[in-house]
Amino acid sequence: MKKNSKDIFTTLTSKISILILNFLTVILSIRLWGAEGRGYISLFIADLSMVSAFTNVFTSSSVSFFISRLGKNKLMSQAYCITFFITTIISIVLSLSKIAADVGVFLFFISTLLGFVTFHNSVYIGKQKINYFNLITVLQPLLLIIFMISFHLIFKILGVFQGNGYFAYFYGQALSLIIIVILCHLLTKRTLPESYKFELDRNSIKASFSYGWQTELSNLLQFFNYRLSYYFLQAISGVGSVGIFSTGVMITEAVWTVSKSISVVQYSNVLKQGDSGEARSQTLKMALVSLIASTACLSIVLLLPKSLFVWVFGEEFVTVKRVLLLMTPGVLAIATSNVFGNYFSAIGKLKILIAKSAIGLLATVVLSIVLIPRFHVDGACIVNATSYIVSSVILVLFFFKGNNRRQ
């Protein structure tokens, strides 16, 4: 328990550091390129998350689950090869469909590197090397800020990318990930010192896919729950509205820092404990801690005056606090249910995750069609909050249903 508390504390510290760095990135991008520039970056990040939902089948939870069973060689070989293949195909499709035509090369390059980093982070979680995981996840956004500002200044001096200054973000992201991938190889060699040998194995690929596709199908559906409103809003109100809405979403979702910190450690522990009474009891306690801590954090944010948000982000963002208020119930619901979701993932009950995400997505689609054309940003807030609540309630019900069955 002492180790759990230490891991949660160090992970929470790293998540808070990431939160501050991401917040600084948002402020800088808004100040440098306005609501429209921020909107383009937010849409790119959404596209990147969509690609990652496919590559994560072989780079995320399946790696943590199988690393002690299948070893580094098989998992790393298949993760790198399949990631490269998937990112190539999806980037070409998105570019040809003009969804990401202007940034297709960046989408391919960054999503490929991100897939490699995800693989290594999953190794660290599976081997309980939480300190390595925390180091990587903090260092990447720090390097992004440094390189983003550097490229912005270089572009300004050279007089290039005028009107598309936000491309500095893409170059900064790519360079930061190159450095992180190199560092990951060094840390993974310390974690698993045996020599790497390229080894593709059909049974290993089949096992990883069988486990990974269910988790990532849930994540892909959940991605649309979180971000489908961006695309509706872009089509109806323009990229500037996406910039404003995404900024509010980023601030409210920052509350999930506590929940994600707890969930990472809890997931690693449940992988070892299995579906035991101790694991279930610990999960329930951690969910309660997450709710209380998240409520406290969000309350502090909501007490901040509207004028402060205008001062930080600019006059275009006068409605950001309204976004926070409308999103609050849903954000707290997810802050609680994240812990239950990672519990189900660790014990292999992935169909529950798929079910909750699918039902949440259905709510997102129906409400987006009805509310966003009429209420624009306010409508998008209500859509997201409702989807968060629906999917969270389903997870909680499944958890307590399982507990009652065992009693």
Side-chain angles (χ1 to χ4, degrees):
M1 189 67 184
K2 186 176 181 181
K3 184 180 184 301
N4 290 348
S5 299
K6 181 181 178 181
D7 285 342
I8 290 173
F9 176 76
T10 56
T11 304
L12 179 59
T13 302
S14 73
K15 293 291 185 183
I16 292 174
S17 300
I18 294 167
L19 171 62
I20 293 171
L21 292 169
N22 288 342
F23 188 64
L24 182 58
T25 302
V26 171
I27 294 174
L28 286 170
S29 62
I30 289 171
R31 287 296 187 180
L32 293 174
W33 309 303
E36 186 171 301
R38 184 62 211 172
Y40 281 116
I41 291 172
S42 297
L43 289 168
F44 177 82
I45 293 172
D47 293 338
L48 189 63
S49 299
M50 183 164 50
V51 177
S52 296
F54 291 95
T55 60
N56 284 354
V57 171
F58 292 94
T59 63
S60 189
S61 58
S62 63
V63 175
S64 300
F65 190 80
F66 286 114
I67 189 63
S68 296
R69 299 170 174 84
L70 300 176
K72 178 175 73 174
N73 291 338
K74 294 177 182 178
L75 293 178
M76 186 170 174
S77 298
Q78 68 190 33
Y80 272 53
C81 288
I82 295 174
T83 292
F84 184 82
F85 176 76
I86 290 174
T87 55
T88 300
I89 298 300
I90 295 179
S91 297
I92 290 173
V93 170
L94 291 178
S95 296
L96 293 176
S97 64
K98 298 184 179 181
I99 293 176
D102 295 336
V103 293
V105 173
F106 290 108
L107 186 62
F108 161 72
F109 197 66
I110 292 172
S111 59
T112 300
L113 293 171
L114 189 60
F116 296 166
V117 173
T118 301
F119 165 79
H120 291 282
N121 272 337
S122 300
V123 169
Y124 308 145
I125 293 173
K127 303 301 289 185
Q128 285 78 52
K129 294 289 186 180
I130 303 299
N131 55 331
Y132 289 172
F133 172 84
N134 290 333
L135 173 63
I136 294 301
T137 52
V138 170
L139 188 57
Q140 198 274 320
L142 176 60
L143 292 176
L144 168 59
I145 290 175
I146 294 171
F147 294 137
M148 182 181 75
I149 295 173
S150 299
F151 278 114
H152 172 75
L153 294 175
I154 292 170
F155 294 164
K156 197 170 184 179
I157 293 171
L158 297 177
V160 296
F161 292 114
Q162 294 181 3
N164 293 323
Y166 55 87
F167 271 48
Y169 173 90
F170 306 139
Y171 280 97
Q173 184 79 279
L175 184 54
S176 67
L177 285 171
I178 290 172
I179 293 173
I180 292 297
V181 168
I182 295 171
L183 178 60
C184 281
H185 276 279
L186 297 175
L187 294 177
T188 300
K189 192 170 184 179
R190 294 183 62 178
T191 304
L192 301 168
E194 66 267 23
S195 299
Y196 169 69
K197 181 178 67 174
F198 183 80
E199 186 178 352
L200 282 179
D201 177 77
R202 180 184 299 177
N203 291 330
S204 173
I205 294 173
K206 184 178 178 181
S208 297
F209 178 78
S210 180
Y211 181 91
W213 79 265
Q214 296 183 71
T215 301
E216 296 313 318
L217 176 58
S218 170
N219 289 341
L220 181 61
L221 294 173
Q222 196 66 11
F223 158 77
F224 284 117
N225 288 344
Y226 293 167
R227 299 294 180 256
L228 188 62
S229 51
Y230 282 23
Y231 299 103
F232 273 95
L233 202 55
Q234 179 193 17
I236 294 167
S237 301
V239 177
S241 294
V242 177
I244 295 168
F245 176 60
S246 65
T247 300
V249 169
M250 185 277 298
I251 296 171
T252 53
E253 290 181 355
V255 174
W256 294 344
T257 300
V258 176
S259 176
K260 289 178 179 178
S261 302
I262 292 171
S263 296
V264 167
V265 178
Q266 185 72 355
Y267 176 75
S268 183
N269 289 334
V270 176
L271 281 175
K272 292 193 302 181
Q273 296 171 353
D275 190 12
S276 63
E278 181 182 356
R280 292 190 295 274
S281 175
Q282 194 177 72
T283 297
L284 188 58
K285 290 177 183 176
M286 291 300 99
L288 183 60
V289 169
S290 179
L291 174 61
I292 294 171
S294 299
T295 301
C297 292
L298 191 53
S299 297
I300 293 172
V301 174
L302 292 175
L303 288 173
L304 298 175
K306 182 169 65 175
S307 57
L308 178 61
F309 295 104
V310 174
W311 179 75
V312 171
F313 299 114
E315 291 294 337
E316 289 180 287
F317 294 82
V318 68
T319 58
V320 162
K321 187 169 183 179
R322 183 176 177 84
V323 173
L324 307 185
L325 289 168
L326 291 172
M327 293 279 291
T328 291
V331 169
L332 291 179
I334 291 291
T336 308
S337 67
N338 269 343
V339 181
F340 295 118
N342 277 272
Y343 166 81
F344 286 124
S345 179
I347 64 174
K349 293 191 175 181
L350 307 177
K351 290 181 180 179
I352 293 174
L353 303 180
I354 294 172
K356 65 93 180 178
S357 297
I359 295 172
L361 177 57
L362 179 62
T364 298
V365 172
V366 172
L367 291 174
S368 293
I369 294 171
V370 174
L371 296 178
I372 294 180
R374 185 174 180 182
F375 299 109
H376 302 277
V377 173
D378 283 358
C381 294
I382 297 170
V383 169
N384 277 29
T386 304
S387 174
Y388 294 173
I389 293 170
V390 169
S391 58
S392 297
V393 167
I394 292 170
L395 274 183
V396 174
L397 289 176
F398 270 112
F399 181 83
F400 282 104
K401 183 180 179 181
N403 266 359
N404 292 335
R405 190 181 295 122
R406 294 182 183 92
Q407 293 174 357

